[in-house]
Amino acid sequence: MHTDGERGFILHRYPYRETSLLLEAFTHGCGRVGLVARGVRRPGKTFAGAHLHPFQPLLLSWSGRGELGTLNRVEAPEMAIGLKGDAMWCAFYVNELVLRLLHRHEAHADLYDAYDDVLRKLSQDGSQEQALRIFEKRLLAGLGYGLALTRDARSGEPLYAHQTYRYLPDEGPVAADAKSPGLVVAGATLIALACEALLDAKQLREAKSLLRMALKPLLGDKPLYTRSLFRSMQAQA
Amino acid sequence: MSDDTKALEDLKRALRRLPGIGAKSAQRMAFHLLGRDRGAARDIAQALLRAVDRIGHCQRCNNFSETEVCAICRSTRRDSGLLCVVESPADLVSLEQSGAFGGTYFVLMGHLSPLDGIGPEELGLPKLEALLEGGVVREVILATNATVEGEATAHYIGELARRRNLLATRIACGVPIGGELEYIDRGTLARAFSGRREA
């Protein structure tokens, strides 16, 4: 089976045998795929694997069926997405989420677009947190665990910006008093998240807690490396 | 496995633990050493034992060394104010062979790799920080690989240096000697342009 010129990114790469690389790629049409790039680490072939790095938009051609394909050709239609400093750590976090939550060979064209979009946003000057929250929201929706962001889960009424809600993991936002369980979220935050509008500092904090709560059951007990790394780096700074 | 081939199987299994050695190569090596060159087999075994027993890490630069502080770090002819940070001992050897650098080194023995769970602690960066605190180093030259992880590592260490008011520089990246622009990939060419300097 041949796949030709498929848009994709490398999520992670591992050395494989003496001269090859094992690549975890995220492609537009085939979702996450495992590929072997043979001979690209051979001395003197320095440039053979030059493009095979994370955050570089690629056109990948591979063959083979089963778990691992064999990379036949790779082209870089444009420059790597320039990520500096914190933006790069954020992008590693995005890669870890995709690696952990997407199964191989499940096409997610919509998520691919969200992934492409978040990398480009992270490379720009805007808010990194905003870009990450929107990606997390789209990731959950793409996986079939989308947040309920339009209606009160119990009354069915539309959400009001000035109202405070309690977000219940299995139900959604519920207008409730201070004693109810669930995560406290302002209606304005939920509405802004729904239409992907710019979130202010308080809304970003709420959105972060909300998305973390929603991602938790999918990620399981194993902590995210990038998250704990980022925390320890911020503690040092 | 019968008793009379146990030692052979153990040897093959041990050889397979070397990088790039599969079952076939391991078998070929084992048969060669046992059948044709038993002297070499004994030498290799002894050299391995000696190396493992004697070689540790230099206290200052973290490179492999038989002494507490390695020869490069002990040398009075080298400028200890210049500290070049590299990923591996092999990188250090390449730089030494180029003869371009007269300062001292710090060998990370890897790079930051968030997705493999290799963070600053795992990489032994506290040791580097102690070196930066020492008051001798004035410039940190970041000579990590031009890969995504290498850049991330350089950025992180650059921050550590800047926080201590030390100059942090990154080795240049661009057109290789003898390279023709026509055949150079876009990324490298763009880096060569952004890093251009007065002729």
Side-chain angles (χ1 to χ4, degrees):
Chain A
M1 201 181 80
H2 284 273
T3 310
D4 218 23
E6 184 66 47
R7 282 198 287 146
F9 281 94
I10 305 296
L11 295 170
H12 197 36
R13 39 184 262 166
Y14 309 88
Y16 180 64
R17 303 244 170 106
E18 187 74 328
T19 59
S20 303
L21 281 175
L22 189 61
L23 306 168
E24 285 287 353
F26 185 27
T27 65
H28 182 264
C30 304
R32 236 189 84 199
V33 289
L35 300 172
V36 178
R38 293 195 196 282
V40 291
R41 292 193 304 132
R42 207 170 289 150
K45 281 195 89 180
T46 331
F47 292 105
H51 301 310
L52 297 173
H53 287 286
F55 320 132
Q56 163 74 59
L58 295 168
L59 292 175
L60 299 162
S61 303
W62 72 90
S63 55
R65 56 186 77 231
E67 260 312 86
L68 287 178
T70 303
L71 187 70
N72 301 324
R73 206 177 67 238
V74 58
E75 287 169 67
E78 57 178 303
M79 294 249 310
I81 295 175
L83 297 157
K84 291 211 167 61
D86 285 351
M88 189 179 281
W89 298 108
C90 294
F92 276 128
Y93 165 72
V94 169
N95 278 9
E96 191 171 15
L97 279 184
V98 173
L99 274 170
R100 284 277 292 273
L101 299 180
L102 261 63
H103 296 289
R104 275 189 181 158
H105 307 295
E106 272 177 22
H108 283 286
D110 48 340
L111 274 183
Y112 181 86
D113 292 335
Y115 177 80
D116 188 286
D117 190 52
V118 70
L119 290 189
R120 286 173 207 280
K121 292 252 166 61
L122 286 172
S123 74
Q124 295 156 7
D125 288 334
S127 161
Q128 291 162 356
E129 294 230 11
Q130 168 91 22
L132 289 180
R133 297 300 86 83
I134 300 299
F135 175 74
E136 288 168 341
K137 180 207 127 184
R138 292 180 182 176
L139 178 64
L140 284 166
L143 292 169
Y145 297 91
L147 292 173
L149 298 169
T150 48
R151 289 184 177 281
D152 186 308
R154 292 215 179 126
S155 69
E157 278 188 48
L159 299 181
Y160 299 108
H162 57 83
Q163 171 89 45
T164 301
Y165 294 87
R166 297 266 166 174
Y167 198 100
L168 303 170
D170 298 323
E171 291 180 59
V174 176
D177 55 63
K179 282 177 290 215
S180 319
L183 191 82
V184 182
V185 195
T189 305
L190 297 170
I191 293 167
L193 206 53
C195 56
E196 303 189 357
L198 210 58
L199 301 155
D200 65 28
K202 177 177 167 266
Q203 292 173 338
L204 278 175
R205 268 199 309 279
E206 287 186 347
K208 186 174 182 175
S209 311
L210 176 64
L211 285 154
R212 189 168 283 203
M213 180 183 83
L215 283 167
K216 203 173 173 205
L218 304 183
L219 288 167
D221 293 332
K222 202 172 149 216
L224 285 169
Y225 283 134
T226 41
R227 197 182 275 167
S228 48
L229 205 64
F230 206 66
R231 207 177 295 134
S232 76
M233 279 164 49
Q234 280 179 329
Q236 280 196 349
Chain B
M1 190 195 316
S2 62
D3 280 350
D4 58 338
T5 58
K6 186 174 181 306
L8 179 64
E9 293 301 324
D10 285 349
L11 174 61
K12 284 197 266 186
R13 203 174 312 117
L15 288 168
R16 278 186 64 178
R17 290 169 71 167
L18 288 167
I21 303 299
K24 267 261 159 33
S25 303
Q27 177 165 294
R28 196 159 48 233
M29 286 174 170
F31 287 160
H32 173 83
L33 290 171
L34 293 171
R36 293 169 186 266
D37 208 348
R38 289 193 175 229
R42 225 170 266 286
D43 288 347
I44 291 170
Q46 279 163 3
L48 272 174
L49 276 177
R50 212 164 40 238
V52 170
D53 287 341
R54 290 192 193 168
I55 300 175
H57 290 274
C58 169
Q59 278 183 355
R60 185 181 184 276
C61 74
N62 202 37
N63 194 14
F64 293 126
S65 171
E66 283 189 54
T67 49
E68 269 190 21
V69 178
C70 73
I72 292 179
C73 292
R74 280 202 314 269
S75 168
T76 50
R77 285 166 42 199
R78 303 190 73 110
D79 182 353
S80 53
L82 286 178
L83 186 76
C84 178
V85 180
V86 293
E87 289 186 20
S88 73
D91 298 338
L92 185 153
V93 171
S94 295
L95 277 167
E96 279 299 285
Q97 284 171 349
S98 78
F101 183 59
T104 54
Y105 295 92
F106 187 85
V107 185
L108 296 168
M109 300 287 171
H111 50 231
L112 292 179
S113 185
L115 271 62
D116 297 313
I118 300 174
E121 292 287 329
E122 290 74 13
L123 206 52
L125 288 189
K127 195 170 170 181
L128 174 62
E129 286 185 69
L131 189 59
L132 298 183
E133 295 279 349
V136 181
V137 177
R138 46 175 208 283
E139 178 179 347
V140 181
I141 302 165
L142 302 159
T144 50
N145 291 336
T147 58
V148 170
E149 285 88 355
E151 294 292 348
T153 310
H155 179 268
Y156 185 80
I157 297 172
E159 284 297 311
L160 293 181
R162 271 186 287 277
R163 225 176 287 148
R164 291 165 176 81
N165 291 321
L166 300 173
L167 177 65
T169 53
R170 180 86 172 106
I171 54 165
C173 185
V175 184
I177 292 178
E180 293 175 41
L181 296 196
E182 186 185 350
Y183 299 112
I184 292 170
D185 72 283
R186 273 179 259 192
T188 308
L189 212 47
R191 281 283 288 273
F193 251 86
S194 62
R196 70 184 183 279
R197 59 181 185 194
E198 210 175 307

